[in-house]
Amino acid sequence: MAEPKIRQWKRGKLTLVLGFFQILFLVLFALLVDYGDDSNAMAAQNNRDMARGGADPSNNSLKHLYPMFVDVHIMIFIGFGFLMTFLKKYGFGSVGYNFMFAAFLIQWATLMQGFFHMEDGKIAISIENLLTSDFASAAVLISFGAMLGKLSHIQLILMGFLEMIFFAVNEYIGLYIFEVADVGGSMFVHVFGAYFGLGVSRVLYKKSVVGSPKEGSNYTSDLFSMIGTIFLWIFWPSFNSALAPGDDQHRAVINTYYSLAACCVTTFAISALVNKDSKVDMVHVQNSTLAGGVAVGTCANMMIHPWGAMLMGMLSAVISVVGFKWVSDWMTSKLHIHDTCGVNNLHGMPGLFAGIAGAIAAAVAETSNYGYGLYEVFPARAPMANTTAFAEVVAEFAIEEGAGRTAGMQAGFQMAALVVTFVVAIITGMLTGLVLKIPCLSQLTAEEFYDDTNYWEIAGEEEEVDHQIQVTIEDKENENVKKYTDNEESGL
């Protein structure tokens, strides 16, 4: 007997969509992507020894960035994946889709970000591109968290493809037009990812998603989620510092380290405070303990001092716990925005806080408390070329010419980038949500939300069905025997 057409189309659709995009990426890489000088055997610097002006093999960029890259890669594939396993019936979807989705996204991110930095019609790849591709994929995985369990795999792939385009454009505007500092991506990764996902959620909102018994967690799923939390918490200093140079990187690690520590302790304290029985909520431990990494991200490489980083971690914990306790329910009931993972509380509000803190830190940044390192943190603050000030600086410190901005001007650009990111994320998220409503994209029904059985082969599933059938047959036989016995006893 032939399967229903709808089932056959459902089966072939994922293969068709993934196959199309993977072949598209293959063709674009073949036409546009090549090795950068640090990895290209044909580069002139790699065809001379050091004594003749060649590259120093021990000073290759891979040596300096690969340890940070591995840390960030672990965050993307283990941290994000396992953090989302709290849904008791969606563990395969959380880890499995995260795995597939991130692999899809890093290829598309390499192309989208590379389009803005092509040289001679080619995108030159280095270890830095691998890092920035991971950062970009993190933004889309955050959006995935807002929509966790509510999108089919086809909708998910299309959402990621479209979001990466908007992400790359917004990031380019912020970093290369506004020239703002956001070393840990709190604005361009966390704020963008969170509010893009919430924009999608608003358009696709269905009342039936609220209060679904499948949306909850259980003891085992919460433990698996903590694996993601611990991995993210441990490696977050690398995420915030990977692309910072020298002392900036060292400072970013220190600031993130203490912000996370203070955030963790404060989360436990506030979680017990807001609970009527003074118990700690595992949702807060899984998520709010990480808010310190988000909150300090924009100004991680700035001279905020360790106590300032700790204060930011403490405040972010309060913001996040309050968000999970009250704001999420308010958004669902009043704004019709359902946020499965609470990305507004972990990434959105702490990211907005980070952007504001970054603007404040920029407003008080001067050479009196940074030295010439000010122009590394804020390149646009560097004096313009052919000025006395520029000549004085380059005599002591190698810098590129800047825009000669004042502290106040830089702070203004920091705030402008935050506002633009917030607005662009919401608008493009809602537009993407409209696209995802197209019927052929395998939209889920209310019964299919938060459930792996729709698209995953579950081990033991057939045996369980067979067992249930056998139990039903035995129950029916027992019922017939009982009826026969009762009839015999009554003399019928």
Side-chain angles (χ1 to χ4, degrees):
M1 180 178 174
E3 294 184 30
K5 290 183 179 180
I6 186 171
R7 178 65 179 172
Q8 293 174 353
W9 177 229
K10 181 179 178 181
R11 179 196 296 173
K13 197 179 293 186
L14 179 62
T15 303
L16 179 65
V17 171
L18 285 179
F20 168 78
F21 280 117
Q22 189 56 59
I23 292 172
L24 174 65
F25 295 160
L26 175 64
V27 171
L28 291 176
F29 266 71
L31 295 175
L32 302 174
V33 178
D34 205 349
Y35 299 115
D37 286 347
D38 271 4
S39 56
N40 193 337
M42 292 299 295
Q45 67 188 47
N46 298 324
N47 282 275
R48 300 187 187 96
D49 57 34
M50 287 179 59
R52 294 174 174 81
D56 179 0
S58 65
N59 199 36
N60 191 285
S61 60
L62 183 72
K63 179 178 180 181
H64 303 290
L65 291 177
Y66 191 72
M68 292 289 189
F69 164 71
V70 171
D71 291 352
V72 173
H73 218 46
I74 289 172
M75 291 177 70
I76 298 301
F77 286 92
I78 298 180
F80 277 95
F82 277 91
L83 180 65
M84 293 186 283
T85 58
F86 67 94
L87 291 175
K88 59 189 174 185
K89 291 185 175 293
Y90 203 69
F92 284 13
S94 299
V95 177
Y97 285 152
N98 185 87
F99 188 16
M100 176 273 291
F101 202 29
F104 173 91
L105 292 168
I106 57 179
Q107 297 176 76
W108 185 221
T110 298
L111 291 164
M112 277 308 308
Q113 292 176 316
F115 290 150
F116 292 102
H117 306 286
M118 296 179 73
E119 296 179 6
D120 300 323
K122 292 288 184 179
I123 300 171
I125 295 298
S126 69
I127 184 65
E128 187 172 329
N129 297 87
L130 274 57
L131 263 170
T132 56
S133 295
D134 272 7
F135 291 150
S137 69
V140 186
L141 294 177
I142 291 167
S143 303
F144 173 37
M147 297 303 299
L148 187 67
K150 297 176 292 189
L151 294 178
S152 68
H153 41 36
I154 306 301
Q155 288 176 304
L156 185 62
I157 293 164
L158 184 56
M159 183 189 81
F161 182 80
L162 295 175
E163 181 175 359
M164 190 59 70
I165 297 171
F166 301 129
F167 169 86
V169 171
N170 180 73
E171 182 188 50
Y172 183 83
I173 292 171
L175 294 179
Y176 297 97
I177 296 179
F178 288 175
E179 295 186 89
V180 301
D182 188 30
V183 69
S186 292
M187 293 190 290
F188 302 131
V189 173
H190 297 283
V191 169
F192 187 90
Y195 292 107
F196 184 97
L198 295 177
V200 174
S201 182
R202 176 63 186 88
V203 173
L204 298 181
Y205 177 81
K206 293 180 180 178
K207 194 173 182 180
S208 54
V209 306
V210 182
S212 169
K214 298 178 184 178
E215 190 182 356
S217 63
N218 58 29
Y219 196 84
T220 302
S221 65
D222 274 336
L223 281 176
F224 271 98
S225 182
M226 277 301 298
I227 295 173
T229 298
I230 297 299
F231 269 95
L232 290 170
W233 197 89
I234 290 172
F235 291 117
W236 211 296
S238 295
F239 191 95
N240 282 356
S241 65
L243 294 177
D247 64 292
D248 295 11
Q249 186 178 71
H250 199 160
R251 192 162 54 248
V253 169
I254 292 171
N255 287 335
T256 307
Y257 179 90
Y258 285 111
S259 180
L260 285 166
C263 179
C264 180
V265 174
T266 306
T267 294
F268 276 82
I270 302 301
S271 180
L273 177 65
V274 300
N275 185 283
K276 63 180 182 180
D277 297 319
S278 295
K279 293 182 178 180
V280 177
D281 191 331
M282 202 60 172
V283 172
H284 302 156
V285 177
Q286 291 161 353
N287 296 277
S288 299
T289 53
L290 302 171
V294 178
V296 80
T298 296
C299 52
N301 61 337
M302 300 179 193
M303 292 286 289
I304 58 174
H305 302 289
W307 69 264
M310 294 172 69
L311 178 61
M312 294 180 69
M314 294 167 67
L315 292 174
S316 66
V318 175
I319 292 170
S320 184
V321 171
V322 168
F324 278 105
K325 184 67 177 178
W326 291 292
V327 176
S328 290
D329 290 341
W330 177 83
M331 289 176 60
T332 301
S333 61
K334 302 298 183 183
L335 303 180
H336 291 174
I337 299 175
H338 182 267
D339 183 1
T340 307
C341 286
V343 300
N344 180 57
N345 311 313
L346 171 54
H347 304 278
M349 294 191 297
L352 293 173
F353 173 55
I356 295 169
I360 294 172
V364 298
E366 297 290 353
T367 53
S368 59
N369 54 350
Y370 281 80
Y372 290 145
L374 175 71
Y375 308 127
E376 268 187 345
V377 178
F378 304 104
R381 293 281 315 268
M384 290 184 284
N386 302 319
T387 62
T388 303
F390 183 75
E392 290 176 353
V393 174
V394 295
E396 302 285 340
F397 193 79
I399 62 168
E400 300 270 336
E401 64 175 293
R405 290 179 185 169
T406 64
M409 291 171 63
Q410 184 64 42
F413 276 101
Q414 295 284 145
M415 283 302 301
L418 178 63
V419 172
V420 168
T421 297
F422 178 77
V423 172
V424 169
I426 291 177
I427 293 174
T428 56
M430 295 181 73
L431 291 174
T432 300
L434 291 173
V435 175
L436 298 182
K437 296 184 80 170
I438 297 173
C440 67
L441 296 179
S442 302
Q443 296 184 51
L444 301 181
T445 64
E447 293 75 23
E448 294 175 320
F449 289 151
Y450 320 117
D451 196 332
D452 279 332
T453 58
N454 306 308
Y455 292 101
W456 291 89
E457 195 72 37
I458 309 296
E461 192 177 50
E462 293 182 3
E463 290 85 346
E464 184 178 345
V465 172
D466 291 341
H467 174 71
Q468 290 174 348
I469 293 173
Q470 183 63 34
V471 168
T472 302
I473 293 172
E474 290 175 356
D475 288 345
K476 190 67 176 176
E477 289 176 347
N478 291 336
E479 183 182 339
N480 290 337
V481 170
K482 185 176 184 302
K483 284 182 179 180
Y484 177 79
T485 305
D486 289 346
N487 290 339
E488 284 289 313
E489 292 176 352
S490 62
L492 297 177

